[in-house]
Amino acid sequence: MSHQPVHLAVYNSLADWEPGHATAFLARAGYPIRTVGPTLDPVTSIGGLRIQPDLALDDVRPEDSSLLILPGADLWDTSDDLAPFARKAREFLDAGVPVAAICGGTAGLAREGLLDDRDHTSAVSFYLAATGYKGGDRYVDADAVTDGNLVTAGPTEPVAFAREIFRLLGVYEGEVLDAWYRLFHDSDAEAYAVLQGAAE
């Protein structure tokens, strides 16, 4: 089955570890992964990985996408350089196309006003409160939260972040989704047997 691409935002100081589980298994499920930079110029992650974006942000349209992923990055909190990515997230959500943000990406959404009326989570509540946003009463102390077409998670929860993305897109469901999470979050050997059985 062919799917619309998943668009992964990439920028300098990108937190390498945050989107990896999601993108790897989305790719295995038939979703092409396309990296989206501020421009087509290469960017460098926190881990020193040099990434050549497939697309520039201005060229990404919600109707051509299954999902926009906004990973964390130091730049979310040290400048306004990444604000255009939050504005693009608004465009996606307004069009009914899912957005998934983790760590600093959630702060970007908060500054854009996208968390004021949606349940959400992040690193800790006071991290988002520092943005001055109006959604503090919708903050949920959980590993990851889905509200409609928006997934949010904190920096220590890349596996839960991926779980919510898979659930939202219907990549894995029910017992298989639970087993995937238990395998990669808890190293549960019994979960591996469930996944192997589902693959046969």
Side-chain angles (χ1 to χ4, degrees), residues 49-133:
L49 297 180
R50 186 174 183 273
I51 303 166
Q52 176 69 58
D54 297 313
L55 296 163
L57 183 63
D58 287 345
D59 295 328
V60 176
R61 303 184 311 164
E63 58 266 34
D64 298 328
S65 184
S66 292
L67 171 73
L68 174 64
I69 300 177
L70 299 179
D74 293 341
L75 284 179
W76 283 114
D77 299 316
T78 59
S79 74
D80 294 327
D81 290 358
L82 301 186
F85 285 91
R87 290 194 291 272
K88 183 64 71 172
R90 177 180 292 282
E91 188 181 325
F92 268 60
L93 292 170
D94 286 348
V97 179
V99 172
I102 183 170
C103 190
T106 64
L109 298 187
R111 293 185 187 97
E112 182 64 19
L114 293 172
L115 303 184
D116 290 351
D117 301 308
R118 293 177 173 91
D119 290 345
H120 60 276
T121 194
S122 184
V124 288
S125 60
F126 57 80
Y127 169 64
L128 289 186
T131 68
Y133 85 132

Side-chain angles (χ1 to χ4, degrees), residues 147-167:
D147 186 330
N149 279 332
L150 178 65
V151 173
T152 52
T156 61
E157 298 294 345
V159 178
F161 182 60
R163 178 197 65 207
E164 294 303 300
I165 290 171
F166 301 156
R167 191 195 322 269

Side-chain angles (χ1 to χ4, degrees), residues 13 16 33 37 67 139 145-146 155 185:
S13 73
D16 316 57
I33 308 299
L67 171 73
Y139 187 89
V145 171
T146 300
H185 188 265

